[in-house]
Amino acid sequence: LASIQDPDVVQILSQVLADLVEGEFMQLQNKEDENERFEHYLNKSFNKTASLMAYSCKANVVLSGGSAEDIENSFQYGRNIGIAFQLVDDLLDFVSSADMLGKPAAADLQLGLATAPVLFAARKYPELDDLIARRFSQDGDVEKAFKFVLESDGLAETKELAREHCRKAVKSIQNLKDSEYKAALINLCEKVINRLN
């Protein structure tokens, strides 16, 4: 990083570390209000996952001498594809085997984390609110939350939100001239979503 010798890029990429630390602290917090809780989850997802993608995209455009608009669009591309990636990851925690994930299924619940599928499911099953508040710490909480997610529209809503973020990512690069590079960025969005298949 220091060998780049571009102070703007160093500052941009150092934000990733600051966001990651903030995201870890955010993960320790719970929000009571449903709307605050979802906003908190999305902000945490940005800090822990999407920040790396967003600021890496931004740094590349800064290094290439892009315009202010290109820099902002690249940041939005990375932000949205990063959030979509995290949403798909959270969904896969409910629908994939441990072998496919490289971690046990329902690992986030076991860690006390309420991800998008759980937060969406809580709209249909308000009894999840108590489980979320106690971070799934009592016997049977993980199993009950898992069941509620599968019986709700939580997985479908999470998948749709991931698709929406991919659409926003593609829209943010719509002004780029058509090229193999633009096609690759669009294809990357498809690969993020197709991790579900």
Side-chain angles (χ1 to χ4, degrees):
L1 188 59
S3 66
I4 294 172
Q5 297 184 349
D6 185 320
D8 291 336
V9 171
V10 172
Q11 183 178 5
I12 289 167
L13 293 177
S14 67
Q15 185 62 46
V16 173
L17 183 57
D19 287 349
L20 182 60
V21 170
E22 184 177 347
E24 288 296 330
F25 281 109
M26 289 176 79
Q27 191 162 287
L28 300 173
Q29 303 168 343
N30 263 344
K31 298 290 182 187
E32 297 290 324
D33 178 69
E34 179 183 322
N35 292 327
E36 274 185 39
R37 201 166 46 202
F38 209 89
E39 189 64 31
H40 181 79
Y41 161 79
L42 289 174
N43 289 334
K44 176 189 62 98
S45 294
F46 173 80
N47 286 336
K48 290 191 66 182
T49 304
S51 173
L52 175 62
M53 297 177 192
Y55 286 111
S56 294
C57 289
K58 182 177 182 175
N60 276 292
V61 176
V62 167
L63 281 172
S64 70
S67 69
E69 180 182 6
D70 290 340
I71 292 168
E72 178 59 24
N73 288 340
S74 68
F75 178 84
Q76 291 304 322
Y77 174 85
R79 176 186 179 280
N80 282 295
I81 199 169
I83 291 172
F85 181 91
Q86 186 60 55
L87 287 162
V88 170
D89 194 63
D90 292 344
L91 189 143
L92 288 173
D93 196 38
F94 288 91
V95 298
S96 296
S97 68
D99 289 340
M100 183 179 165
L101 287 175
K103 63 180 181 180
D108 291 330
L109 288 174
Q110 293 171 14
L111 291 171
L113 304 177
T115 58
V118 176
L119 298 175
F120 280 127
R123 293 176 180 171
K124 181 174 182 179
Y125 296 105
E127 52 264 59
L128 269 170
D129 291 336
D130 290 337
L131 280 65
I132 292 168
R134 65 179 178 245
R135 300 178 77 83
F136 315 104
S137 62
Q138 294 183 3
D139 285 345
D141 281 358
V142 169
E143 295 78 9
K144 193 180 297 184
F146 197 90
K147 179 177 176 279
F148 285 146
V149 168
L150 295 181
E151 291 175 357
S152 72
D153 293 330
L155 296 175
E157 290 179 275
T158 300
K159 186 185 296 188
E160 182 51 37
L161 186 58
R163 285 188 177 119
E164 177 61 27
H165 279 282
C166 279
R167 285 190 289 270
K168 287 179 181 177
V170 170
K171 185 176 181 189
S172 70
I173 61 170
Q174 70 184 0
N175 291 336
L176 290 179
K177 70 177 184 175
D178 289 337
S179 68
E180 64 184 291
Y181 308 108
K182 180 179 179 180
L185 292 171
I186 293 168
N187 188 47
L188 184 57
C189 290
E190 293 169 12
K191 287 187 182 296
V192 166
I193 292 299
N194 289 330
R195 290 174 60 211
L196 298 170
N197 299 332

